[in-house]
Amino acid sequence: MELMQRITEPILGFEVDLFNFNEALIFVHQHLKANRGLHIVTINPEMISMGNKNQEFGRILNEADLSIPDGVGIKLALKIKGINQENIPGIEFAKKLIGLCSLEGYAIGLVGAKEEIIQKAAENLRKEFENLNITYIHNGYFDANQEEIIKEEIKNIEPKVVFVAMGAPKQEIFISKLKEQMPHTVFIGVGGSFDVWSGKTKRAPEFYRKMGLEWFYRAIKEPSRFRRIFPALPLFLVRVIMETVHENWVKIR
Ligand code: UDP
């Protein structure tokens, strides 16, 4: 089977995939059927800024096999570059992927969040998807020694897809170390998704989601998140504008 080819656009040094939601899902499905592993990243401006500052994280982002544009920041950055891109909320993509796994009978693993949260999220997912086969569950709070044990366990159980919810860059660093030893597994970092699936955190109202402003809603609800995200977004867009002007200037010279 011929696998779909990625179409990407660099933003401040990081490739972002231009698939729409369905295409991205088909891309992943093809890899699952072909028994090929993937590292899926749901990329946002914060992660790009982190990748510019932290070399290891930057390398991991560049080695990802699929960088899904998650949120209005990336959508706007692509718009500046003249590209109309559909926003793909990572949490929705992950949920669709779980649905696909339950349909196809692929075993999944869940790593991340607090113990009671992940247990409740797993329970809710099992209710939602009747045939879902969750073969590995672990919370996201562990030290270096426990991490080695967890990795060994995941390697032995070898779920087809592993969802890691520890926030960036922790989840991506965890995945990057495991994926080298698990070439047939699909990994995806899903941030705070388990909190939402457990029912502990509510997603933003429809209006914010439609506008791609879920991050903004969450930032208002959590002041610490606001301080983390807010100054970064305008700065990020200014940098994208400067990069685009520079690229166009080089082209016309
Ligand atoms: N988390 C974790 N281990 C840690 C730190 C965080 O499992 O050492 C979990 C945390 O409980 C939450 C998620 O990671 O469920 C982080 O969510 P956040 O909303 O901060 O991530 P984002 O969506 O912003 O990437």
Side-chain angles (χ1 to χ4, degrees):
M1 180 180 60
E2 183 102 17
L3 292 169
M4 271 165 95
Q5 291 299 309
R6 294 174 74 186
I7 306 160
T8 61
E9 175 72 22
I11 300 178
L12 303 177
F14 299 99
E15 298 295 328
V16 176
D17 282 84
L18 303 182
F19 288 141
N20 65 28
F21 196 117
N22 276 333
E23 289 164 345
L25 201 62
I26 293 169
F27 178 84
V28 177
H29 197 182
Q30 283 186 341
H31 282 75
L32 286 165
K33 283 195 278 195
N35 207 23
R36 293 209 192 183
L38 291 173
H39 178 189
I40 308 168
V41 163
T42 62
I43 202 158
N44 60 37
E46 232 194 316
M47 288 163 82
I48 289 183
S49 306
M50 251 186 248
N52 285 139
K53 287 185 204 126
N54 173 336
Q55 238 186 359
E56 185 196 4
F57 186 57
R59 178 187 55 77
I60 293 171
L61 285 185
N62 272 327
E63 286 172 4
D65 306 294
L66 182 66
S67 278
I68 288 175
D70 184 357
V72 74
I74 299 291
K75 191 181 157 90
L76 284 174
L78 288 168
K79 188 93 192 158
I80 290 166
K81 290 172 163 263
I83 297 167
N84 280 322
Q85 171 63 36
E86 185 182 43
N87 175 28
I88 307 182
I91 186 165
E92 282 170 30
F93 190 77
K95 197 58 163 300
K96 277 276 183 309
L97 190 52
I98 291 180
L100 181 73
C101 291
S102 95
L103 273 178
E104 294 279 11
Y106 296 144
I108 68 164
L110 306 174
V111 180
K114 302 225 169 77
E115 183 62 24
E116 68 275 15
I117 296 283
I118 192 171
Q119 292 298 342
K120 186 74 190 152
E123 184 188 322
N124 289 344
L125 288 172
R126 283 185 174 120
K127 273 190 212 144
E128 188 172 347
F129 302 100
E130 260 178 36
N131 299 319
L132 187 63
N133 184 16
I134 307 178
T135 54
Y136 189 77
I137 295 180
H138 202 288
N139 65 59
Y141 295 86
F142 41 77
D143 61 25
N145 290 333
Q146 287 166 312
E147 182 171 335
E148 289 316 306
I149 299 170
I150 293 166
K151 285 201 208 118
E152 275 307 308
E153 286 171 348
I154 299 177
K155 258 191 284 169
N156 291 334
I157 291 171
E158 211 184 359
K160 189 91 169 153
V161 183
V162 179
F163 298 81
V164 187
M166 300 195 290
K170 255 192 189 151
Q171 59 196 20
E172 282 73 27
I173 294 171
F174 179 81
I175 291 172
S176 79
K177 290 189 237 162
L178 248 183
K179 77 166 185 181
E180 283 159 28
Q181 300 161 46
M182 297 182 67
H184 307 298
T185 302
V186 169
F187 294 94
I188 177 166
V190 293
S193 299
F194 295 175
D195 298 83
V196 175
W197 296 341
S198 74
K200 184 195 141 210
T201 311
K202 294 267 167 296
R203 285 198 67 193
E206 178 99 12
F207 165 77
Y208 290 90
R209 285 177 4 205
K210 281 239 166 76
M211 302 290 287
L213 291 174
E214 183 151 20
W215 60 275
F216 182 65
Y217 176 83
R218 290 173 70 197
I220 307 170
K221 291 265 159 184
E222 289 174 53
S224 63
R225 186 183 281 276
F226 188 84
R227 278 195 295 275
R228 203 178 76 191
I229 293 178
F230 200 68
L233 184 69
L235 206 68
F236 165 78
L237 292 176
V238 168
R239 288 176 64 211
V240 175
I241 291 169
M242 280 160 60
E243 180 183 67
T244 311
V245 169
H246 177 73
E247 277 167 5
N248 289 338
W249 186 73
V250 169
K251 260 187 229 153
I252 56 173
R253 261 182 72 198

